[in-house]
Amino acid sequence: MLRLKSYLAGTWKDGEGEGATLLDPSTEEAVATTSTTGLDFAEAFEHAREVGGPKLRAMTFAERGAVIKAMSKALYEAREELIDASILNGGNTRGDAKFDIDGATGTLAYYASLGKKLGDTRVLVEGEGEQLTQSARFYGYHAKLPRPGVAVHVNAFNFPAWGLAEKAAVALLAGMPVISKPATATALTAFRIMEVLVEADVLPEGALQLVSGSAGDLLSHLGPQDVLAFTGSADTGTHLRSLDNVIGRSVRVNVEADSLNAAVLGADVEPGSETWNRFVRDVCLEVTQKTGQKCTAIRRVFVPKERMDAVQEALIESMSAVVWGDPRADGVRVGPLASKQQLDDVKAGVAKLTSGGATQVWQSDADPVGSEGKGFFFPPTLLRADDPRAAAVVHEHEVFGPVTTLMPYESDAEAGELVALGHGGLVASLYSDDRDAIASHIQALAPWNGRLLVASKKVVDQATAPGLVLPSCIHGGPGRAGGGEELGGLRGLDFYLQRTAVQGDRGLLERALGMR
Ligand code: NAP
């Protein structure tokens, strides 16, 4: 059986013992094992700090961009093989696998082009600078330089390729070396990515290391110049940001966590209109794509009270058309959940929602196509809660599967209040053509969400789906969503750069900071 090793300190290393077994979620057959027991993470940190960091910091943004471009190219060339790994160990359909892999190469390509635009410089200077006293000579600039530490990335199971690449692209462009840890259950794709990058020899030594499995004592090595970017459940995020050394050494932490993302159908939208159809299409896509295992999936659907039945009918019609089963079978668009744990959690989550005020109004009664009684399959499911305030659990508990809950609102103001009951989300989407209503919804929804998609008639055919994270727009959200912020073009680099107020002779500073 395939054995996943970790790539640390410039070489492949195997842990002790058998370790964890990775499965094919469609058949429950074992596909690989991996262990990180006994691996020397102190050595990995030292390698990043002593070798990778200095090499990256010696490069200009344009040179780092060229490295990232080469990474994107190497992964693109291995696309088919990575898609196969994602189907095998993630239970992804081919479409879902492409979403992850192409998201990875696309984000790398985007940051490569940003590096090219930043050009032959190593320092970013913020704004115009300021005269600090009466002397026109004494000036202050805010300069941003890469931290001479290590960027540790801990990723969730659902996007092993994109998760690795989107974080690595930003850190490497900023000039920080990376130690990346995928979730163990679906680590095969990340392992293959690392193999491809090592084989292609596109990375400066020490720039990227991979931990193929459990974190062990990895995070105990974080120090004051290091950063930790985490994606996963809110519980793990809370645990990691409260580690003694993380608090004691003021380690910078970014958390991308759970989110009860909302879709709001405007009161002006008539059934059958273009905006209505786009709304139905988006909800169906976001519930079923990646089997609902997307941090940006729509979990709560708010519609005007008088539209509840019509929306329910339209969603059932749309969701009924989606075939679920083994991703290798013809026509299947919804695969299994990624693990037995996920399946158990989704079953328990639906029970929690239905005992907390929601009613199950539809669930696919088809058998999963191509499955032979094995696999972690869960049918697409629609719930409804007619009293959204009484159904508190719907706003608190994320069911990480193909499940969403339909709820009514009575006024635009109430729609905003109900969305806010989710305590902070990654994304909300609004479907409306009413200018005034759109303005007031934006006021209410934006502070509670990291991203807001407004779908109206003139963009129904052009807008991206709400669940699609774009490298040019920030990803992350307040409150429950973790309070983090990733990507967003150059904004993403700030996490890896130290902003320092540099004061002195204006001419000297401008020369030293590469402004002239
Ligand atoms: P998880 O159980 O919290 O695990 C996430 C990662 O943390 C995994 O790599 C896991 O490693 C690691 N981990 C767990 N305990 C750790 C510890 N004590 N020390 C160091 N690392 C530790 O989450 P998940 O089940 O993989 O992901 C599902 C959740 O992620 C969902 O709630 C979803 O909403 C959220 N998510 C959020 C985003 C976003 O961008 N906001 C994106 C995707 C997913 P092991 O696998 O080795 O245990």
Side-chain angles (χ1 to χ4, degrees):
M1 193 184 321
L2 182 63
R3 179 74 170 170
L4 308 192
K5 294 183 182 174
S6 293
Y7 189 75
L8 300 171
T11 173
W12 290 101
K13 302 207 169 170
D14 197 1
E16 295 158 9
E18 195 180 325
T21 303
L22 282 63
L23 303 179
D24 176 341
S26 308
T27 62
E28 299 179 41
E29 279 166 22
V31 297
T33 61
T34 185
S35 166
T36 57
T37 306
L39 295 183
D40 187 351
F41 293 136
E43 183 192 32
F45 268 77
E46 192 182 319
H47 188 66
R49 287 188 186 122
E50 303 299 325
V51 182
K55 280 187 189 295
L56 286 166
R57 292 195 297 278
M59 299 167 94
T60 63
F61 281 106
E63 287 167 338
R64 292 177 211 143
V67 168
I68 298 167
K69 186 174 179 187
M71 291 169 71
S72 175
K73 187 164 173 282
L75 296 183
Y76 186 76
E77 281 166 9
R79 183 171 183 259
E80 287 304 318
E81 184 193 339
L82 294 173
I83 287 172
D84 287 347
S86 170
I87 293 171
L88 180 65
N89 179 222
N92 290 295
T93 62
R94 192 175 156 78
D96 289 345
K98 284 197 284 189
F99 192 65
D100 187 26
I101 310 297
D102 294 345
T105 50
T107 304
L108 287 163
Y110 173 85
Y111 274 94
S113 70
L114 270 191
K116 191 174 175 187
K117 274 187 214 145
L118 289 173
D120 292 332
T121 178
R122 294 178 184 81
V123 188
L124 293 182
V125 180
E126 207 177 66
E128 296 291 306
E130 294 212 27
Q131 185 178 320
L132 299 176
T133 62
Q134 295 205 330
S135 157
R137 266 193 173 277
F138 188 57
Y139 232 69
Y141 284 103
H142 285 90
K144 298 193 282 194
L145 286 136
R147 296 183 141 215
V150 187
V152 176
H153 295 163
V154 176
N155 284 312
F157 72 84
N158 54 344
F159 285 104
W162 176 80
L164 185 155
E166 57 101 18
K167 286 186 173 66
V170 186
L172 294 174
L173 183 60
M176 280 193 84
V178 173
I179 299 178
S180 188
K181 189 208 115 42
T184 303
T186 58
L188 176 62
T189 306
F191 168 76
R192 279 302 299 140
I193 283 178
M194 195 70 215
E195 276 194 330
V196 168
L197 295 176
V198 171
E199 278 161 23
D201 196 18
V202 291
L203 289 158
E205 199 188 338
L208 181 62
Q209 303 180 70
L210 183 81
V211 176
S212 296
S214 174
D217 72 351
L218 179 73
L219 303 184
S220 68
H221 301 284
L222 288 165
Q225 286 290 336
D226 303 327
V227 303
L228 170 63
F230 167 78
T231 297
S233 63
D235 286 350
T236 310
T238 304
H239 170 68
L240 300 190
R241 61 159 44 115
S242 56
L243 291 172
D244 284 350
N245 62 317
V246 168
I247 295 174
R249 297 174 197 164
S250 303
V251 175
R252 219 178 246 186
V253 181
N254 190 78
V255 172
E256 300 286 333
D258 306 1
S259 175
L260 293 155
N261 310 297
V264 177
L265 178 69
D268 61 296
V269 181
E270 294 292 330
S273 65
E274 288 165 276
T275 309
W276 170 281
N277 292 342
R278 172 69 204 235
F279 159 78
V280 172
R281 203 172 78 207
D282 277 359
V283 175
C284 182
L285 175 77
E286 294 300 338
V287 179
T288 53
Q289 190 174 47
K290 296 266 313 162
T291 319
Q293 300 167 108
K294 266 191 339 189
C295 52
T296 51
I298 296 172
R299 306 285 174 204
R300 300 178 299 152
V301 184
F302 296 104
V303 306
K305 194 173 177 188
E306 63 280 10
R307 299 279 190 227
M308 282 289 280
D309 291 340
V311 169
Q312 180 178 315
E313 197 183 314
L315 288 179
I316 291 175
E317 188 187 341
S318 178
M319 288 167 74
S320 304
V322 179
V323 180
W324 62 295
D326 188 319
R328 285 159 286 223
D330 279 350
V332 166
R333 274 175 46 207
V334 179
L337 294 161
S339 66
K340 168 86 168 51
Q341 180 68 50
Q342 280 305 117
L343 178 60
D344 292 345
D345 288 353
V346 168
K347 284 181 182 168
V350 171
K352 199 166 178 173
L353 266 47
T354 50
S355 61
T359 309
Q360 185 173 305
V361 290
W362 178 81
Q363 184 170 65
S364 172
D365 57 7
D367 288 328
V369 174
S371 114
E372 295 179 355
K374 290 271 189 185
F376 309 127
F377 296 99
F378 189 85
T381 301
L382 180 64
L383 308 180
R384 167 175 176 152
D386 284 286
D387 186 350
R389 289 183 197 273
V393 68
V394 176
H395 311 286
E396 283 162 11
H397 187 76
E398 178 199 48
V399 179
F400 209 57
V403 181
T404 198
T405 305
L406 178 62
M407 287 172 278
Y409 70 83
E410 296 199 26
S411 65
D412 286 357
E414 192 191 20
E417 289 163 20
L418 294 174
V419 171
L421 290 180
H423 291 159
L426 294 171
V427 57
S429 45
L430 169 67
Y431 301 82
S432 176
D433 294 299
D434 177 336
R435 285 185 194 179
D436 295 338
I438 289 172
S440 74
H441 278 304
I442 290 177
Q443 291 272 334
L445 300 181
W448 287 100
N449 292 280
R451 188 160 56 80
L452 181 55
L453 176 93
V454 183
S456 56
K457 200 161 54 189
K458 290 191 180 155
V459 293
V460 285
D461 293 330
Q462 294 146 43
T464 50
L468 180 66
V469 175
L470 298 166
S472 52
C473 292
I474 55 165
H475 173 59
R480 177 194 306 281
E485 206 174 271
E486 284 184 342
L487 301 171
L490 286 180
R491 294 173 192 86
L493 269 62
D494 283 350
F495 182 62
Y496 301 97
L497 302 170
Q498 178 62 42
R499 179 169 44 212
T500 305
V502 186
Q503 306 165 329
D505 178 324
R506 182 177 186 177
L508 275 179
L509 293 190
E510 288 180 355
R511 205 171 305 269
L513 297 175
M515 298 167 73
R516 306 183 169 177

